[in-house]
Amino acid sequence: MSDSQFSKPLIYMLIGAAIILALSLGVRHAFGLYLVPMSDEFGWGHNVFSLAIAMQNLIWGAVQPFTGALADKYGSRLVVATGGLLYVIGLLMMAVSSTGILLNISAGLILGLALSATSFPILLSAIGRAAPPEKRSLAMGIASAAGSFGQFIMLPTTLLLLQNIGWSAALVVSAILIALIMPLAAMLKAPTYAAPNAITTTQAALSFKDILIIAKNHKPFWFLALGFLVCGFQVVFIGIHLPGYLIDHGFNATTGTVFLALVGLFNVVGTYTAGWLGGKYSKPHLLMGLYGLRGIAIIAFLLLPLSTWTVYAFGVVMGLLWLSTVPLTNGIVANMFGVKYLSMLSGIVFFTHQVGSFFGGWLGGVNHDMSGNYNVIWMLSIALSILGVIVHFWVNEEQVVHD
């Protein structure tokens, strides 16, 4: 890719957004490693930690449309910097959480609010506004891919911290790293893209309320959102519970960490490739393929003999499919409704993702505490892959609202 494809302000924004996503999602991606040590120290079942992370995802999704609306109105820089501050506070409180209530306040409420301001919907929407339409999907894919590299880096880093200084001190170190988000937010200042030959029009701009009414009545928008629910369920269930699943089957914590690190590493390839392909082919058709392949990968993982190599192979495949949905889904929303209210509309779609995340995280813990295994949730994940394929038959990229 040639840098000449993008303006200098957009390149600057891409760098800032990528580092912010790497920090924000990298720290979050490692939360599954805390389930066993915190549960063991305080005598919790898996359900206590799972509920806190599930609440984090639900709160994150519930406030995302409002955080997005604030970013649309006041700019991404202020929202992201505020989210960085909340993230630091939440991690420091989580480091001293010795009860389920404290864990739900810190890891659930505060970190849920922080993530709504420092993750994909806000940052990719800022990039979407600054990028030319024909390069929008690619730009989102680049930021997603570079941000995914942080997930790869943070997994072994977090494991080393857990093994050498314990889970509480590891969270304090993570808080110090997250503090870098606040100054990095200043890099999100590329102007909204305007075509060189754009013709000024006197047509009245649609209001926030007008856009909401149009979105409410646009069925493909809601089918897209339903597909994103599938994504949330699968990635949070696997991200939070697979390390514990492997420990149940006699593997050590390192195996689960390497799995998640491989997911993060190959997610770099997957998200960039998805963004690139999204600029050339039908995004709904690509999403159908992604969800179908996820289902096949899960079936293969469960049917093959469980070994270190099958675990790592599953990590590679899931990494390629992990967040490849994000640039495609956000790109479809931008194509449907334009970019003026992209943060808010992406936030609405993302809310359904987080509803899925809530149930994937929480039901995984409930299933494990009740039966000692995750069989029911694995089967549900496969069924949801089929749903993810089906709903995208009714999704298209027809432009409903012009930029």
Side-chain angles (χ1 to χ4, degrees):
M1 182 201 69
S2 170
D3 287 346
S4 63
Q5 290 181 320
F6 300 122
S7 66
K8 287 185 178 180
L10 178 55
I11 293 171
Y12 190 66
M13 175 182 274
L14 281 171
I15 293 170
I19 298 172
I20 291 168
L21 286 170
L23 290 168
S24 177
L25 298 180
V27 169
R28 175 190 173 270
H29 193 58
F31 281 160
L33 301 181
Y34 291 92
L35 185 153
V36 172
M38 290 187 73
S39 298
D40 287 350
E41 179 164 334
F42 298 114
W44 299 334
H46 284 202
N47 183 48
V48 175
F49 188 91
S50 299
L51 179 61
I53 299 300
M55 286 300 298
Q56 175 192 106
N57 284 290
L58 189 61
I59 291 166
W60 178 3
V63 301
Q64 189 67 71
F66 302 100
T67 309
L70 289 172
D72 288 334
K73 185 172 182 179
Y74 298 108
S76 301
R77 284 179 287 176
L78 177 61
V79 170
V80 171
T82 303
L85 177 61
L86 284 173
Y87 210 143
V88 170
I89 294 170
L91 288 171
L92 293 176
M93 285 187 62
M94 186 177 172
V96 296
S97 293
S98 57
T99 68
I101 293 175
L102 281 174
L103 190 66
N104 272 283
I105 293 172
S106 58
L109 174 61
I110 298 176
L111 290 181
L113 293 171
L115 284 161
S116 77
T118 58
S119 57
F120 286 122
I122 302 298
L123 291 154
L124 293 192
S125 295
I127 290 167
R129 280 188 288 268
E134 68 277 8
K135 300 296 181 185
R136 192 176 286 151
S137 180
L138 176 61
M140 289 178 174
I142 291 170
S144 300
S148 298
F149 190 70
Q151 300 179 41
F152 170 68
I153 295 296
M154 284 305 301
L155 264 300
T157 301
T158 301
L159 180 62
L160 287 173
L161 291 172
L162 288 169
Q163 292 174 338
N164 289 284
I165 61 177
W167 64 266
S168 183
L171 287 166
V172 174
V173 173
S174 296
I176 293 170
L177 291 173
I178 287 295
L180 295 172
I181 288 176
M182 289 180 276
L184 284 167
M187 298 178 71
L188 307 175
K189 59 181 181 180
T192 299
Y193 174 80
N197 58 348
I199 300 173
T200 303
T201 178
T202 57
Q203 182 180 357
L206 292 172
S207 68
F208 178 86
K209 183 178 179 181
D210 293 333
I211 294 288
L212 280 179
I213 292 171
I214 293 170
K216 177 184 176 183
N217 296 317
H218 190 55
K219 289 183 180 179
F221 178 74
W222 296 107
F223 282 119
L224 181 69
L226 183 58
F228 222 23
L229 181 147
V230 174
C231 179
F233 186 99
Q234 292 174 333
V235 299
V236 170
F237 165 60
I238 293 172
I240 295 298
H241 292 287
L242 196 79
Y245 172 84
L246 294 174
I247 289 171
D248 287 347
H249 286 79
F251 295 88
N252 57 31
T254 301
T255 307
T257 303
V258 173
F259 167 83
L260 292 175
L262 286 169
V263 168
L265 179 61
F266 283 88
N267 192 23
V268 175
V269 180
T271 49
Y272 175 82
T273 303
W276 176 73
L277 290 173
K280 295 178 175 293
Y281 303 103
S282 164
K283 297 180 188 66
H285 290 170
L286 290 170
L287 286 168
M288 289 168 62
L290 285 171
Y291 287 116
L293 288 171
R294 277 192 191 178
I296 293 169
I298 293 170
I299 291 170
F301 176 66
L302 296 175
L303 290 180
L304 290 170
L306 191 61
S307 69
T308 302
W309 296 112
T310 58
V311 170
Y312 293 166
F314 186 51
V316 171
V317 174
M318 286 305 298
L320 293 171
L321 307 171
W322 195 250
L323 294 179
S324 301
T325 58
V326 174
L328 297 174
T329 301
N330 281 273
I332 291 172
V333 175
N335 288 348
M336 286 178 173
F337 300 104
V339 298
K340 184 176 182 182
Y341 296 113
L342 182 55
S343 296
M344 182 268 294
L345 290 168
S346 294
I348 293 173
V349 175
F350 189 73
F351 172 62
T352 61
H353 182 284
Q354 295 308 93
V355 170
S357 298
F358 172 84
F359 285 108
W362 177 54
L363 291 178
V366 171
N367 185 201
H368 186 274
D369 286 351
M370 292 181 66
S371 64
N373 60 56
Y374 294 103
N375 293 346
V376 172
I377 309 303
W378 281 121
M379 295 304 103
L380 184 54
S381 294
I382 294 168
L384 285 173
S385 282
I386 298 171
L387 176 65
V389 173
I390 293 171
V391 296
H392 286 93
F393 275 110
W394 292 283
V395 176
N396 58 59
E397 300 183 68
E398 179 184 348
Q399 193 170 24
V400 183
V401 175
H402 293 269
D403 289 337

